């Protein structure tokens, strides 16, 4: 999906602010972002499978939904396009 002008402006503003950070802080943010991005999808998938294995309306269902929401929010974040 192509970026609209508003989104491009937000990415540019975020990139500008990130460049103002000291290198250590920038690197910490970058590494933390990628750790989350790499591990969140497998967690969502594992919770979904575990919930299905345990049956409907189990306690893992709510956890699965919460982490699905986190993944959705991460996908909306512009940070990945900057770091």
């Amino acid at each position: 999906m192509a970026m609209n002008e508003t989104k491009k402006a937000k990415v540019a503003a975020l990139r500008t602010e990130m460049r103002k950070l000291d290198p250590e802080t920038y690197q910490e943010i970058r590494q933390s972002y990628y750790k989350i991005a790499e591990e969140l999808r497998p967690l969502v998938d594992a919770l979904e499978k575990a919930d299905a294995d345990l049956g409907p309306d189990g306690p893992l269902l709510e956890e699965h939904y919460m982490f699905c929401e986190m993944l959705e929010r991460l996908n909306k974040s512009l940070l990945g396009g900057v770091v």
Side-chain angles (χ1 to χ4, degrees), residues 10-22:
K10 288 180 179 182
V11 168
L14 182 58
R15 184 173 286 120
T16 298
E17 291 304 305
M18 291 293 290
R19 288 182 179 152
K20 293 177 185 177
L21 298 173
D22 65 87

Side-chain angles (χ1 to χ4, degrees), residues 36-53:
I36 290 168
E38 289 173 4
E39 297 298 329
L40 192 52
R41 168 54 69 189
L43 176 59
V44 167
D45 293 344
L47 283 168
E48 181 179 28
K49 181 183 180 317
D51 178 60
D53 291 346

